[in-house]
């Protein structure tokens, strides 16, 4: 049995080994594992191989296994015993594309430890937070336990996928296929944020994601607007007219049936959220905004966590180069995504969106759709035992009561863990709002990384001691 | 005095020299003179140099002269006498960009003579029609006259610019600066189309062009739609909402004051147009469309020639690569153009568009504008003497009565010729609706090229014989 009284010695080991932990993170950050772009498939494979070697060195049996897309890593601690809590840790090694590259201050895959404008030490690179930095906090916590005690305080399995940023399309069948190897009592995920730089948080609800690409086609070729302008359908005009109608003046989404199944947040949760007093000054001012743009009759914290939303993530059509071209293009397309909350049916939302578009098409226009993501929103079980243990551990590490929050982002795998593996998930992460994830100059605070490792050391300790 | 009775001999010379004429056109088409892209500035210079050498060989004093942008060619026939009609011929050597390159069946700057699906011989290349092919019809006609008679039947000056496709911004000051060298009795322009493959046409009205680029900015960086979605302004959403409101359900443009000054076509002209019986089947079916998309209460021929229009020529924002990215971009932009008719003030239309956008911006959003073009619509003088002469000559060449039509496209220089040089312009061209100008696989019918040269031979002959 692990000697859990060694907690302080393990925390000391984390502090002493921080430079080496950072070096290992940098090695991982140098791998250009962009999952969205097929040109980087080799880098994705390299990231999986790299992680398998590293995790093996921690006393795990680790393997890179193929999926229908980029490979995944599966690992089981050789010291797993079966008579204590068994956690399945999940992370993803893939990262977002880096464009626009011109806005990065440094090459995105050359990680550096530098100073933030306000003096904080930060790690800058694509993936520094999402999710290479975050997943490394758990791996380094395991390393510290093993270095000091020779073993882990609980049973641990690890699975790391490579397609989270593109919808985990091949990971769900992979889970089905390997469910016996992934059996555990609960899952741990490190891909979320703190409430603020001093307040740790456990995320207890996640929005889902329906991500659609729509292409409008009209003429059989590009046309000259001088000759055809006035008579020919313009797919950009049609696209803007349809997408411009997705919201009404109050910020509500106009797609019929879109809000079907959406529940109000329970009064006690809403009361807790109101007490957090999230103001536009706090949340929007750092990114140059001042006024919440969502549903006018909702609190800001509701707009970003408990209410479904619609965003146009990309649009392109016609001539977009320098200067001018008097063209009426043959087609125009957009990427449109919906953040869903528990109760909404992703398939119904997708179909309603497609019907919304199709029913507004004028004569001579057609629409093609491509599905990129299709995950429901979920609410976690607030009464699960690991949650109470983790809350206590986080509160001890940070010296401030850990809060339970809803996340606006999607981690679709949480629903799949419940459905396929039958396990609840505990979401603990150390990201901050200014981490620029999915943006140029992504960063992770050195404090998040360091105290993140310490937090997992304490959480594992607390999980080992919880009534089981 | 030129022996104008040599007409048949000159026409025979055109027929005999067609292969050589074609070779010279191909040499011009091989020069990648794309004016919109600064990367091709050297090619624009090369095209000007090439033309100056060729025109000099025809007995002109030709010079390449600098403008604020790409250079222009000015030439005067050494045989000009001053006691007979003096024509200033205008053309442009610059061409449209070639994207999307993937839709071209052959490299756009490797001209080829090939067979159309229906058996017509066609010349395929960027610029094959607009305007290298068209301007070459006039130059080759001059060559035939000189080869047979040793001189031209009328006085001729030539000016060829290199920025027509990007709004001729530097050409108007150039005209001012060189107005003495460009003095003439009237201008000839070959940059328009026939009514159909068998019916020659003289264009007597032209739409103007206001071309604006608008960029909407919101947050100071790209944001993650999971974290900020619902609360952060999305510039694509704002842009689509504003642009999607530019037209109402009847296809009318909703910008306040947009139609100020627009005149109805005189009843006798409308009667002539109705007689031309332009049907959607004739005009739209070849490009894959079936129903006129403009103002619902207007004839198709009005929609494309006498009514002002608005088109979105390009739009871009957010993630447009393969796959998906859950980003709320910091900015989004569009290129929007308006075809104007006589009576509309371009500056007023531009200001009204900018006010339309600005007044619809939500808090936290700003708009930047960039002007690409600003030219009024114009109606030509139907009673000018050269028009009657040209109409007779065209009717003789094509064996079918030449028609007088309005063009939907803009040739802004026509207004500048009137204002700066005090001359009226005669617009004769041999383009066809299926020439794919501004599109991939631009072509010019060999018949247009051949009979175009013959037409100019006849027009010069008729101009020499008109009462003067």
């Amino acid at each position: 049995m692990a000697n859990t009284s060694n907690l302080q010695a393990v925390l000391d080991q984390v502090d002493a080994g921080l430079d080496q932990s950072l070096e290992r993170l940098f090695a991982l950050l140098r791998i250009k594992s962009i999952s969205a772009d097929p040109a980087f498939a080799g880098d994705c494979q390299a990231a999986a191989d790299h992680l398998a070697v590293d995790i093996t060195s921690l006393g795990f049996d680790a393997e890179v296994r193929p999926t229908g897309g980029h490979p995944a890593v599966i690992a089981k601690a050789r010291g797993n015993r079966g008579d204590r809590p068994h956690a399945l840790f999940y992370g993803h090694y893939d990262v977002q594309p880096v464009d626009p590259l011109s806005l990065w201050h440094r090459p995105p895959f050359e990680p550096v430890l530098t100073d933030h404008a306000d003096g904080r030490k930060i790690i800058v690179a694509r993936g520094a937070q999402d999710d290479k930095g975050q997943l490394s906090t758990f791996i380094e916590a395991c390393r510290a336990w093993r270095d000091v005690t020779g073993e882990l305080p609980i049973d641990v399995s690890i699975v790391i996928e490579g397609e989270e940023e593109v919808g985990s399309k091949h990971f769900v069948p992979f889970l089905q296929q390997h469910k016996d190897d992934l059996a555990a009592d609960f899952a741990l995920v490190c891909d979320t944020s703190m409430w603020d730089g001093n307040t740790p948080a456990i995320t207890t609800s996640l929005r889902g994601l329906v991500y659609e690409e729509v292409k409008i086609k009209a003429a059989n070729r590009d046309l000259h607007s001088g000759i055809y302008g006035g008579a020919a359908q313009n797919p950009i005009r049609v696209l803007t007219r349809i997408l411009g109608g997705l919201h009404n003046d109050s910020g509500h989404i106009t797609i019929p049936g879109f809000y079907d199944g959406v529940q109000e947040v329970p009064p006690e949760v809403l009361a807790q959220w109101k007490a957090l007093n999230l103001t536009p000054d706090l949340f929007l001012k750092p990114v140059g905004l001042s006024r919440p743009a969502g549903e006018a009759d909702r609190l800001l914290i509701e707009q970003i966590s408990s209410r479904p939303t619609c965003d146009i993530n990309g649009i392109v059509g016609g001539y977009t180069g320098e200067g001018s071209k008097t063209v009426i293009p043959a087609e125009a397309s957009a990427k449109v995504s919906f953040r869903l909350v528990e109760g909404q049916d992703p398939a119904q939302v997708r179909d309603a969106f497609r019907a919304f578009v199709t029913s507004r098409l004028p004569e001579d226009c057609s629409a093609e759709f491509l599905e990129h993501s299709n995950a429901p929103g979920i609410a976690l079980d607030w009464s699960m035992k690991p949650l109470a243990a983790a809350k206590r551990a986080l509160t001890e590490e940070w010296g401030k009561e850990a809060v339970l929050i809803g996340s606006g982002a999607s981690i679709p795998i949480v629903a799949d863990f419940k459905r396929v593996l039958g396990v609840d998930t505990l979401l603990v992460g150390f990201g901050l709002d200014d981490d620029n994830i999915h943006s140029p100059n992504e960063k992770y605070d050195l404090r998040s990384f360091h105290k993140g490792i310490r937090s997992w050391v304490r959480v594992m300790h607390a999980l080992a001691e919880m009534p089981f």
Side-chain angles (χ1 to χ4, degrees), chain A residues 113-369:
Chain A
L113 183 68
T114 184
D115 293 311
H116 190 273
D118 64 10
R120 282 179 285 162
K121 288 274 178 205
I122 56 175
I123 303 156
V124 180
R126 170 57 85 227
Q129 196 248 62
D130 180 18
D131 185 48
K132 290 174 175 173
Q134 298 245 60
L135 76 84
S136 294
T137 60
F138 183 83
I139 291 174
E140 293 301 316
C142 291
R143 193 184 314 271
W145 271 109
R146 187 163 295 268
D147 284 351
V148 173
T149 70
E151 58 186 338
L152 300 177
I154 56 173
D155 284 2
V156 175
S157 298
I158 293 177
V159 63
I160 301 177
E161 72 151 317
E163 297 193 304
E164 198 272 347
E165 300 293 4
V166 290
S168 300
K169 193 163 56 179
H170 302 100
F171 190 61
V172 180
F174 181 88
L175 276 188
Q176 300 272 13
Q177 193 186 342
H178 300 282
K179 60 195 274 191
D180 293 342
D181 283 340
L182 298 168
D185 299 317
F186 52 90
L188 301 175
V189 172
C190 189
D191 200 13
T192 50
S193 291
M194 317 226 313
W195 173 251
D196 60 35
N198 296 311
T199 316
I202 299 173
T203 299
T204 53
S205 72
L206 292 163
R207 292 195 288 195
L209 183 66
V210 163
Y211 198 121
E212 288 276 301
E213 187 164 338
V214 54
K215 182 181 283 185
I216 308 283
K217 294 183 165 188
N220 57 22
R221 60 177 175 88
D222 285 0
L223 304 173
H224 185 311
S225 76
I227 298 173
Y228 290 92
Q233 276 298 358
N234 181 327
I236 308 180
R237 171 176 155 193
V238 172
L239 187 64
T240 58
R241 196 167 163 79
I242 294 174
L243 299 184
L246 283 168
H247 295 83
N248 67 15
D249 290 339
S250 314
H252 294 275
I253 292 151
T254 58
I255 298 172
F258 179 75
Y259 291 100
D260 286 0
V262 175
Q263 316 264 314
E264 287 301 318
V265 171
E268 66 275 18
V269 176
L270 200 59
Q272 187 208 319
W273 284 3
K274 279 183 180 161
L276 288 171
N277 192 27
L278 183 68
T279 62
D281 241 34
L282 225 55
F283 184 71
L284 292 175
K285 202 175 171 186
V287 296
L289 300 174
S290 67
R291 188 191 182 90
E295 294 169 289
D297 54 350
R298 296 290 174 172
L299 295 176
L300 174 53
I301 194 168
E302 289 180 284
Q303 290 183 8
I304 61 169
S305 55
S306 67
R307 297 294 299 176
T309 64
C310 166
D311 264 301
I312 308 167
N313 304 106
I315 191 165
V316 67
Y319 183 67
T320 61
E322 205 175 327
S324 63
K325 183 174 173 179
T326 50
V327 65
I328 299 175
E331 58 183 49
S333 66
K335 298 179 196 267
V336 180
S337 67
F338 302 89
R339 297 283 168 180
L340 305 189
V341 298
E342 194 176 54
Q344 286 179 294
D345 175 3
Q348 188 193 317
V349 167
R350 182 199 57 209
D351 292 347
F353 168 69
R354 293 183 176 187
F356 182 90
V357 172
T358 308
S359 68
R360 279 161 181 76
L361 287 177
E363 208 166 320
D364 290 335
C365 287
S366 63
E368 288 175 7
F369 298 93

Side-chain angles (χ1 to χ4, degrees), chain A residues 18 45 194 343 389 454:
Chain A
L18 183 62
Q45 176 75 45
M194 317 226 313
R454 289 174 55 99

